[in-house]
Amino acid sequence: MTTTVPPLLEALAGRRPRRLPVWFMRQAGRSLPEYRAAREGLTMLESCLRPQVAAEITVQPVRRHRVDAAIFFSDIMVPLRLAGVAVEISPGIGPVFEKPVRSADDVRELVAHEPGDPQPVVEAVRLARAELDGVPSGDASWTPLIGFAGAPFTLAAYLVEGKPSRDHLAARALMHADPASWDALLGWCARVSGAFLRAQVEAGAAAVQLFDSWAGSLRRDDYVAHVAPYSKAALDAVSGVPKIHFGTGTGHLLPDVRDAGADAVGVDYRTPLDEANRLLGGATPLQGNVDPAMLAAGWDALSAHARDVVTRGYAAPGHVVNLGHGVPETTDPDVLTRLVELVHALPGSAKSAAEGAA
Amino acid sequence: MTTTVPPLLEALAGRRPRRLPVWFMRQAGRSLPEYRAAREGLTMLESCLRPQVAAEITVQPVRRHRVDAAIFFSDIMVPLRLAGVAVEISPGIGPVFEKPVRSADDVRELVAHEPGDPQPVVEAVRLARAELDGVPSGDASWTPLIGFAGAPFTLAAYLVEGKPSRDHLAARALMHADPASWDALLGWCARVSGAFLRAQVEAGAAAVQLFDSWAGSLRRDDYVAHVAPYSKAALDAVSGVPKIHFGTGTGHLLPDVRDAGADAVGVDYRTPLDEANRLLGGATPLQGNVDPAMLAAGWDALSAHARDVVTRGYAAPGHVVNLGHGVPETTDPDVLTRLVELVHALPGSAKSAAEGAA
């Protein structure tokens, strides 16, 4: 029945499908042997930019775990590479830039780059969709693909620091030392991030998620004034699909994360979902937030924790079960498969739980 | 007048001295050329364990910046080294252990270590006190020295991971996978941490600060059940001096951080002090929380931000001005000196500010 909406899209619309949808951030990644096989001999960015490889990796966790969504396999740095910025992903370190963006001149030079041709991304999304259109999810005959992009602040933090950093001091200093350059930099990041999302939606992504990995390092006043408007610009670049917005350590920013143009908020593992729902006023679908550390804590501890997450999530109008951060690379994939089975066996709403208990 | 109490101790007792006390986490460190000179040719742990070097480095920022407290120069790893654990501080990386503590057997082996002889620490504190007894702070004729230790969870996170990590997944998994080993491990960490603080107080430290660098990675239920009791045990090992408890990213844990036996709470830069004061019920002295990123944002932005921090801090019964995290190593020391002068020129309380304005 092609008219049946997949559970992911029901939940993101604030409804309670019979079955709770579940997927995992970084489900397409190093925890899977088939991922390591597909990546063999290729750098991270090569893997992202070869359509058949990226499509294969995108679909792998759906095949294996029967999760209710694929997330497009890519890297936060891909839109920068497409725009011609010199960046490499150094194994064990992360993104490393040939030339960090520190001065007003550096910013001027950067923002002269156009977003670049998204053709490899468009082709990869199409290939992945071709397979996912035949994979059922709940009562639907197909499994949705979620488009992916890094948020402007996270891109800018990497660009300014030139490499991963803990507190993003140089980026956060630039924000105040030279607001005009900051505006130009974040505006450009929003443009490439938005173009990247738009290309995925045009190729068939049924939802998008904007990842602001580093937003948790921000004071709220800085987030609201100097970051959120650019995240909103990136999200505003797409329309017609639900938009999920996620950052780690953002318990102090949740309403602002939502107000930056999001339909649903991804909650990291630190904020219990009933509390997140309260902070958000009870009207926003939530995604999350099983603690990734629990994946290695044994099944008894993990399953009790996952049940607690689902129960707290009943407070929200819709709930997409996920982790509260990415899958650690040391995770046993069988634990993830078992977790999907557990979530699918749990009642989809407080009402069905009460009926089941009665 | 030796009967006059230094501003730091007034503020930590919940009073409002005429002058706001100020010091900086990591003030004794790489931002100072005299520090780099004193450390030359010595490893981090050698510097900490040579009493004359440690005392010299402890006193340097008081001489230069006229801050209202010295913090004992040491490293979170020193008590572990004193106990005979094989650890090195690797430049650019951090603590690296010969053998991470992963299994129940590893924990049993670790906890057989006794805390070890604190003599180098005792001697260093005595040497630093000898100089600080003659340095005025506000109306007092002497400047207090704050004793220092890493909190049990932070020690355990390093021990289990074997090196610095972002999310402390292995440590947080062990907490749930093997609660008995976790209890033994944290209990031991509390014992060495408490002994380290006690040695400093017996040698003349006038206050202590427990640093839980990684507590912000914890869910609240985990913090309350599996971490806070051990932090309390470490703090309970000393008496007769005020106790400051600090962690980064702990906005979701502030009352629990206080309830772990603290007299004052250090607040990281993400939580505005008026909000922290509200979360803590208005009865707890606060320390913090100038954003370290602002030290590189130019004087106009920094001074406006520092004034805002002081104004928000007026809500609390006592306020020790500090950063919301450590001094970045790239900081211009003259900016810190100027910031101390600014804080000392500001009204010490909302009342004196109103009188000044009238």
Side-chain angles (χ1 to χ4, degrees), chain B residues 99-159:
Chain B
K99 189 169 177 295
V101 175
R102 293 288 173 96
S103 67
D105 281 348
D106 295 341
V107 171
R108 265 191 294 275
E109 194 181 311
L110 176 78
V111 305
H113 291 75
E114 286 300 315
D117 182 3
Q119 195 47 40
V121 170
V122 168
E123 203 180 323
V125 170
R126 284 193 184 133
L127 288 168
R129 289 289 312 130
E131 177 168 345
L132 293 165
D133 278 344
V135 181
S137 165
D139 297 331
S141 62
W142 61 288
T143 297
L145 181 144
I146 301 172
F148 159 95
F153 173 69
T154 291
L155 296 182
Y158 280 116
L159 282 161

Coordinates of all heavy atoms in Angstrom, one line a residue, chain B residues 99-159:
Chain B
K99 N 48.6 1.1 31.4 CA 47.7 0.0 31.3 C 46.3 0.5 31.7 O 46.1 0.7 32.9 CB 48.2 -1.1 32.4 CG 47.4 -2.4 32.4 CD 48.2 -3.4 33.3 CE 47.5 -4.7 33.4 NZ 46.2 -4.6 34.1
P100 N 45.4 0.7 30.8 CA 44.1 1.1 31.1 C 43.4 0.1 32.1 O 43.7 -1.1 32.1 CB 43.3 1.2 29.8 CG 44.3 1.1 28.8 CD 45.5 0.4 29.3
V101 N 42.5 0.6 32.9 CA 41.8 -0.2 33.9 C 40.4 -0.6 33.3 O 39.5 0.2 33.3 CB 41.6 0.6 35.2 CG1 40.7 -0.2 36.2 CG2 42.9 1.0 35.8
R102 N 40.3 -1.8 32.8 CA 39.1 -2.2 32.0 C 38.3 -3.3 32.7 O 37.1 -3.3 32.6 CB 39.5 -2.6 30.6 CG 40.0 -1.5 29.7 CD 38.9 -0.5 29.4 NE 39.4 0.7 28.7 CZ 39.4 0.8 27.3 NH1 39.0 -0.2 26.6 NH2 39.9 1.9 26.8
S103 N 39.0 -4.2 33.4 CA 38.3 -5.4 33.9 C 38.3 -5.3 35.4 O 38.9 -4.5 36.1 CB 39.1 -6.6 33.5 OG 40.4 -6.6 34.1
A104 N 37.5 -6.3 36.0 CA 37.4 -6.4 37.5 C 38.8 -6.7 38.0 O 39.2 -6.1 39.1 CB 36.5 -7.5 37.8
D105 N 39.6 -7.5 37.3 CA 41.0 -7.8 37.7 C 41.8 -6.5 37.7 O 42.6 -6.3 38.7 CB 41.6 -8.8 36.8 CG 41.2 -10.2 37.2 OD1 40.5 -10.4 38.2 OD2 41.4 -11.1 36.3
D106 N 41.7 -5.7 36.7 CA 42.4 -4.4 36.6 C 42.1 -3.5 37.8 O 43.0 -2.9 38.4 CB 42.1 -3.6 35.3 CG 42.5 -4.4 34.1 OD1 43.4 -5.3 34.1 OD2 42.0 -4.0 33.0
V107 N 40.8 -3.5 38.2 CA 40.4 -2.7 39.3 C 41.0 -3.2 40.6 O 41.6 -2.4 41.4 CB 38.9 -2.6 39.4 CG1 38.4 -1.9 40.7 CG2 38.3 -1.9 38.2
R108 N 40.9 -4.5 40.8 CA 41.5 -5.1 42.0 C 43.0 -4.8 42.1 O 43.5 -4.4 43.2 CB 41.3 -6.6 42.0 CG 40.1 -7.1 42.7 CD 40.1 -8.6 42.9 NE 40.0 -9.3 41.7 CZ 38.8 -9.6 41.1 NH1 37.7 -9.2 41.6 NH2 38.8 -10.2 39.9
E109 N 43.7 -4.9 41.0 CA 45.1 -4.6 41.0 C 45.4 -3.1 41.4 O 46.3 -2.8 42.2 CB 45.7 -4.9 39.6 CG 47.2 -4.9 39.5 CD 47.7 -5.2 38.1 OE1 47.1 -6.2 37.5 OE2 48.5 -4.5 37.6
L110 N 44.6 -2.2 40.8 CA 44.7 -0.8 41.0 C 44.5 -0.4 42.5 O 45.3 0.3 43.1 CB 43.8 0.0 40.2 CG 43.8 1.6 40.4 CD1 45.0 2.2 39.8 CD2 42.5 2.2 40.0
V111 N 43.4 -0.9 43.1 CA 43.0 -0.5 44.4 C 43.9 -1.0 45.5 O 43.7 -0.6 46.7 CB 41.5 -0.8 44.7 CG1 40.6 -0.1 43.6 CG2 41.2 -2.3 44.8
A112 N 44.8 -1.9 45.1 CA 45.8 -2.4 46.1 C 46.8 -1.3 46.4 O 47.6 -1.4 47.4 CB 46.4 -3.7 45.6
H113 N 46.9 -0.3 45.5 CA 47.9 0.8 45.7 C 47.5 1.7 46.9 O 46.3 2.1 46.9 CB 48.0 1.7 44.5 CG 48.6 1.0 43.3 ND1 48.0 0.1 42.5 CD2 49.9 1.2 42.7 CE1 48.8 -0.3 41.5 NE2 49.9 0.3 41.6
E114 N 48.4 2.0 47.8 CA 48.1 2.9 48.8 C 48.3 4.3 48.3 O 49.1 4.5 47.3 CB 49.1 2.7 50.0 CG 48.7 1.4 50.8 CD 47.3 1.5 51.4 OE1 46.9 2.6 51.9 OE2 46.6 0.5 51.3
P115 N 47.7 5.4 48.9 CA 47.8 6.7 48.4 C 49.3 7.3 48.3 O 49.5 8.1 47.4 CB 47.0 7.6 49.4 CG 46.0 6.6 49.9 CD 46.6 5.3 49.9
G116 N 50.2 6.8 49.0 CA 51.6 7.3 48.8 C 51.9 8.5 49.6 O 51.0 9.2 50.1
D117 N 53.2 8.8 49.7 CA 53.7 9.9 50.5 C 53.5 11.2 49.9 O 54.1 11.5 48.8 CB 55.2 9.6 50.8 CG 55.8 10.6 51.7 OD1 55.1 11.5 52.2 OD2 57.0 10.5 52.0
P118 N 52.8 12.1 50.5 CA 52.5 13.4 49.9 C 53.6 14.5 50.2 O 53.4 15.7 50.0 CB 51.2 13.9 50.6 CG 51.3 13.3 51.9 CD 52.0 12.0 51.8
Q119 N 54.8 14.0 50.7 CA 55.8 15.0 51.2 C 56.1 16.1 50.1 O 56.2 17.3 50.5 CB 57.1 14.2 51.6 CG 58.0 15.1 52.4 CD 57.3 15.9 53.6 OE1 56.4 15.4 54.2 NE2 57.7 17.1 53.7
P120 N 56.3 15.8 48.9 CA 56.7 16.8 47.9 C 55.6 17.9 47.8 O 55.9 19.1 47.6 CB 56.8 16.1 46.6 CG 56.9 14.7 46.9 CD 56.3 14.4 48.2
V121 N 54.3 17.5 48.0 CA 53.2 18.4 47.9 C 53.2 19.3 49.1 O 53.0 20.5 49.1 CB 51.9 17.5 47.8 CG1 50.7 18.4 47.9 CG2 51.9 16.8 46.4
V122 N 53.3 18.6 50.3 CA 53.3 19.4 51.6 C 54.4 20.4 51.6 O 54.2 21.6 51.9 CB 53.6 18.4 52.7 CG1 53.9 19.1 54.0 CG2 52.4 17.4 52.9
E123 N 55.6 20.1 51.1 CA 56.7 21.0 51.1 C 56.4 22.2 50.1 O 56.7 23.3 50.4 CB 58.0 20.3 50.7 CG 59.2 20.9 51.2 CD 60.5 20.1 50.7 OE1 60.4 18.9 50.7 OE2 61.5 20.8 50.4
A124 N 55.9 21.8 48.9 CA 55.6 22.9 47.9 C 54.5 23.9 48.5 O 54.7 25.1 48.3 CB 55.1 22.2 46.6
V125 N 53.5 23.4 49.1 CA 52.5 24.2 49.7 C 53.1 25.1 50.7 O 52.8 26.4 50.8 CB 51.3 23.4 50.3 CG1 50.3 24.3 51.0 CG2 50.5 22.7 49.1
R126 N 54.0 24.6 51.6 CA 54.6 25.4 52.7 C 55.4 26.5 52.1 O 55.4 27.7 52.5 CB 55.5 24.5 53.6 CG 54.6 23.7 54.5 CD 55.5 23.1 55.6 NE 54.6 22.2 56.5 CZ 54.9 21.0 56.8 NH1 56.1 20.5 56.5 NH2 54.1 20.3 57.6
L127 N 56.2 26.2 51.0 CA 57.0 27.2 50.4 C 56.2 28.3 49.8 O 56.5 29.5 49.9 CB 57.9 26.6 49.3 CG 59.1 25.7 49.8 CD1 59.7 24.9 48.6 CD2 60.2 26.5 50.4
A128 N 55.1 27.9 49.1 CA 54.2 28.9 48.5 C 53.6 29.8 49.5 O 53.5 31.0 49.4 CB 53.2 28.2 47.6
R129 N 53.1 29.2 50.6 CA 52.5 29.9 51.7 C 53.4 31.0 52.3 O 53.0 32.1 52.6 CB 52.0 29.0 52.8 CG 50.8 28.1 52.5 CD 49.5 28.9 52.4 NE 49.3 29.8 53.5 CZ 49.0 31.0 53.4 NH1 48.9 31.6 52.2 NH2 48.8 31.8 54.5
A130 N 54.7 30.6 52.4 CA 55.7 31.5 53.0 C 55.7 32.8 52.2 O 55.8 33.9 52.8 CB 57.1 30.9 53.0
E131 N 55.6 32.8 50.9 CA 55.6 34.0 50.1 C 54.3 34.7 50.2 O 54.1 35.9 50.3 CB 56.0 33.8 48.7 CG 55.9 35.1 47.8 CD 56.6 35.0 46.5 OE1 57.4 34.0 46.2 OE2 56.3 35.9 45.6
L132 N 53.2 33.9 50.0 CA 51.8 34.4 50.0 C 51.4 35.1 51.3 O 50.5 36.0 51.3 CB 50.8 33.3 49.6 CG 51.0 32.8 48.2 CD1 50.2 31.5 48.0 CD2 50.6 33.8 47.1
D133 N 52.0 34.7 52.4 CA 51.7 35.3 53.7 C 52.0 36.8 53.7 O 51.5 37.6 54.5 CB 52.4 34.6 54.8 CG 51.7 33.4 55.2 OD1 50.5 33.2 54.9 OD2 52.3 32.5 55.9
G134 N 52.9 37.2 52.8 CA 53.3 38.7 52.8 C 52.7 39.4 51.6 O 53.0 40.6 51.4
V135 N 51.8 38.8 50.8 CA 51.2 39.5 49.7 C 49.7 39.9 50.1 O 48.9 39.0 50.3 CB 51.2 38.6 48.4 CG1 50.5 39.3 47.3 CG2 52.6 38.1 48.1
P136 N 49.4 41.2 50.1 CA 48.1 41.6 50.5 C 47.0 41.3 49.4 O 47.3 41.2 48.2 CB 48.2 43.2 50.6 CG 49.6 43.5 50.3 CD 50.3 42.3 49.8
S137 N 45.8 41.1 49.9 CA 44.7 40.9 49.1 C 43.5 41.7 49.7 O 43.1 41.4 50.8 CB 44.3 39.4 49.0 OG 43.0 39.2 48.4
G138 N 43.1 42.7 49.0 CA 42.1 43.6 49.6 C 42.6 44.2 50.8 O 43.8 44.7 50.8
D139 N 41.9 44.2 51.9 CA 42.4 44.8 53.2 C 43.2 43.8 54.0 O 43.7 44.1 55.1 CB 41.2 45.3 54.0 CG 40.4 46.4 53.3 OD1 41.0 47.1 52.5 OD2 39.2 46.5 53.5
A140 N 43.3 42.5 53.5 CA 44.0 41.5 54.3 C 45.5 41.6 53.9 O 45.9 42.0 52.8 CB 43.5 40.2 54.0
S141 N 46.4 41.2 54.8 CA 47.8 41.3 54.6 C 48.4 40.0 53.9 O 49.5 39.9 53.7 CB 48.5 41.4 55.9 OG 48.2 40.3 56.7
W142 N 47.5 39.1 53.6 CA 48.0 37.9 53.0 C 47.0 37.4 51.9 O 45.8 37.8 51.8 CB 48.1 36.8 54.0 CG 46.9 36.4 54.8 CD1 46.2 37.2 55.7 CD2 46.1 35.2 54.6 NE1 45.1 36.5 56.1 CE2 45.0 35.3 55.5 CE3 46.2 34.0 53.8 CZ2 44.0 34.3 55.6 CZ3 45.3 33.0 54.0 CH2 44.2 33.2 54.9
T143 N 47.5 36.5 51.0 CA 46.7 36.0 49.9 C 46.6 34.5 50.1 O 47.6 33.8 50.3 CB 47.4 36.3 48.6 OG1 47.5 37.7 48.4 CG2 46.7 35.6 47.4
P144 N 45.3 34.0 50.1 CA 45.1 32.6 50.3 C 45.6 31.7 49.2 O 45.6 32.1 48.0 CB 43.6 32.5 50.6 CG 43.0 33.7 50.1 CD 44.1 34.7 49.9
L145 N 45.9 30.4 49.6 CA 46.2 29.4 48.6 C 45.1 28.4 48.6 O 44.7 27.9 49.6 CB 47.6 28.7 48.9 CG 48.0 27.7 47.9 CD1 49.6 27.7 47.8 CD2 47.6 26.3 48.4
I146 N 44.7 28.0 47.4 CA 43.6 27.1 47.2 C 44.2 25.7 46.9 O 45.0 25.6 45.9 CB 42.6 27.5 46.1 CG1 42.0 28.9 46.4 CG2 41.5 26.5 45.9 CD1 41.2 29.5 45.2
G147 N 43.8 24.7 47.7 CA 44.3 23.3 47.3 C 43.5 22.8 46.2 O 42.4 23.3 45.9
F148 N 44.0 21.8 45.5 CA 43.5 21.3 44.2 C 43.5 19.8 44.2 O 44.5 19.2 44.6 CB 44.5 21.9 43.2 CG 44.4 21.2 41.9 CD1 43.6 21.6 40.8 CD2 45.2 20.0 41.7 CE1 43.6 21.0 39.6 CE2 45.2 19.4 40.4 CZ 44.4 19.8 39.4
A149 N 42.4 19.2 43.6 CA 42.4 17.8 43.3 C 41.4 17.6 42.2 O 40.4 18.3 42.1 CB 42.1 16.9 44.5
G150 N 41.7 16.5 41.4 CA 40.7 16.1 40.4 C 39.7 15.2 41.1 O 40.0 14.5 42.1
A151 N 38.4 15.2 40.7 CA 37.4 14.5 41.3 C 37.5 13.0 40.9 O 38.0 12.7 39.9 CB 36.0 15.1 40.9
P152 N 36.9 12.1 41.7 CA 37.0 10.7 41.4 C 36.5 10.3 40.0 O 37.2 9.5 39.4 CB 36.1 10.1 42.5 CG 36.2 11.0 43.7 CD 36.3 12.4 43.0
F153 N 35.4 10.9 39.5 CA 34.9 10.4 38.2 C 36.0 10.8 37.1 O 36.2 10.0 36.2 CB 33.6 11.1 37.9 CG 33.2 10.8 36.4 CD1 32.8 9.5 36.0 CD2 33.2 11.8 35.5 CE1 32.5 9.2 34.7 CE2 32.8 11.5 34.1 CZ 32.5 10.2 33.8
T154 N 36.5 12.0 37.2 CA 37.5 12.4 36.2 C 38.7 11.5 36.3 O 39.2 11.1 35.2 CB 37.8 13.9 36.4 OG1 36.7 14.7 36.1 CG2 39.0 14.4 35.6
L155 N 39.2 11.2 37.5 CA 40.3 10.3 37.6 C 40.0 8.9 37.0 O 40.7 8.4 36.2 CB 40.7 10.1 39.1 CG 41.2 11.3 39.9 CD1 41.6 10.9 41.3 CD2 42.4 11.9 39.2
A156 N 38.8 8.4 37.3 CA 38.4 7.1 36.8 C 38.2 7.1 35.3 O 38.5 6.2 34.6 CB 37.0 6.7 37.5
A157 N 37.7 8.2 34.8 CA 37.5 8.3 33.3 C 38.8 8.2 32.6 O 39.0 7.5 31.6 CB 36.8 9.6 32.9
Y158 N 39.9 8.9 33.1 CA 41.2 8.7 32.6 C 41.7 7.3 32.7 O 42.3 6.7 31.8 CB 42.2 9.7 33.2 CG 42.1 11.1 32.7 CD1 41.7 12.2 33.5 CD2 42.5 11.4 31.4 CE1 41.7 13.5 33.0 CE2 42.4 12.7 30.9 CZ 42.0 13.7 31.7 OH 42.0 15.0 31.2
L159 N 41.6 6.8 33.9 CA 42.1 5.4 34.2 C 41.5 4.4 33.3 O 42.1 3.5 32.8 CB 41.8 5.0 35.7 CG 42.8 5.7 36.7 CD1 42.1 5.6 38.1 CD2 44.1 5.0 36.7

